[in-house]
Amino acid sequence: MRRAIFPGSFDPLTNGHLDIIKRSLPLFDEIIIAVLNNPDKNPMFSVEERCQMIEEVLPTVEDGDCCLIVDSFSGLTADFAKRKNASAIVRGIRAVSDYEYELRMALMNRRLEPEIETVFLMAAEEYSYVSSNLMKQVFTLGGRVEGLIPALVEAKMKEKLSTK
Ligand code: PNS
């Protein structure tokens, strides 16, 4: 059983994340989308809201034999991966600028759990500039983000802003 985790903040899920999930499907039997519960940050969406949104959007990418699971975690990614018996940590790389940070994380995670490999996947070019933070900023200031985040996520962001 080839099991991987795909950890992240996912605040919120973008089409870039979905692109990475799609690319991971043929590589693993099971992928756990692992939503970080980071109380230090001030997220737009609670962990529960983020997990629920991902669960609702996942059927749009699911196909074939790979099983997709949504879970949340606190603490170290490497500990979570070990606890789940995962052999790989999937991370997406959008541009060279991501590389240094990702390399440091991958090396640290390898030091913590030498048996677990980090697998980098390149996001599609059209998402190379898409990040959750940029999407939140542009959306909050009234800019168009369709095509860059799932429609359901956009609707939830609209709801969030209207209740502020
Ligand atoms: O989507 P993000 O915000 O780029 O994801 C970053 C994430 C969650 C993968 C990273 O911050 C992380 O792994 N945090 C958990 C704490 C941890 O393990 N830190 C050491 C990483 S080497």
Side-chain angles (χ1 to χ4, degrees):
M1 158 76 113
R2 296 162 306 159
R3 181 182 290 124
I5 66 162
F6 178 33
S9 307
F10 301 105
D11 184 43
L13 179 79
T14 68
N15 285 351
H17 293 128
L18 283 178
D19 179 64
I20 295 297
I21 294 170
K22 269 188 218 160
R23 289 171 196 280
S24 315
L25 291 175
L27 305 179
F28 300 101
D29 302 308
E30 186 178 292
I31 302 166
I32 303 172
I33 322 296
V35 180
L36 177 67
N37 187 0
N38 187 350
D40 299 342
K41 281 197 180 174
N42 190 11
M44 181 178 233
F45 294 101
S46 69
V47 166
E48 293 75 22
E49 288 172 322
R50 282 179 266 160
C51 287
Q52 201 189 333
M53 273 189 278
I54 297 170
E55 266 171 14
E56 284 180 45
V57 172
L58 276 187
T60 62
V61 300
E62 229 158 346
D63 81 325
D65 297 329
C66 180
C67 173
L68 290 174
I69 292 170
V70 183
D71 203 348
S72 61
F73 74 104
S74 306
L76 290 172
T77 293
D79 286 347
F80 179 75
K82 168 105 177 158
R83 229 171 28 248
K84 294 291 171 182
N85 276 322
S87 54
I89 297 171
V90 170
R91 291 287 291 169
I93 297 228
R94 291 164 296 193
V96 179
S97 50
D98 283 338
Y99 180 71
E100 225 175 288
Y101 168 64
E102 293 297 335
L103 177 68
R104 271 187 280 133
M105 274 209 298
L107 292 176
M108 190 65 220
N109 283 330
R110 185 153 77 189
R111 192 185 172 92
L112 293 168
E113 288 302 335
E115 305 290 305
I116 301 175
E117 285 298 338
T118 295
V119 174
F120 290 126
L121 296 174
M122 311 312 144
E125 297 94 283
E126 69 236 60
Y127 304 126
S128 59
Y129 60 94
V130 174
S131 71
S132 299
N133 283 340
L134 189 63
M135 295 303 103
K136 281 187 284 193
Q137 189 187 89
V138 171
F139 186 82
T140 308
L141 296 173
R144 280 184 296 109
V145 290
E146 74 247 35
L148 304 178
I149 56 173
L152 176 127
V153 171
E154 191 177 346
K156 297 277 179 196
M157 278 179 32
K158 227 173 246 168
E159 239 173 66
K160 209 29 100 175
L161 285 190
S162 67
T163 55
K164 258 192 162 185

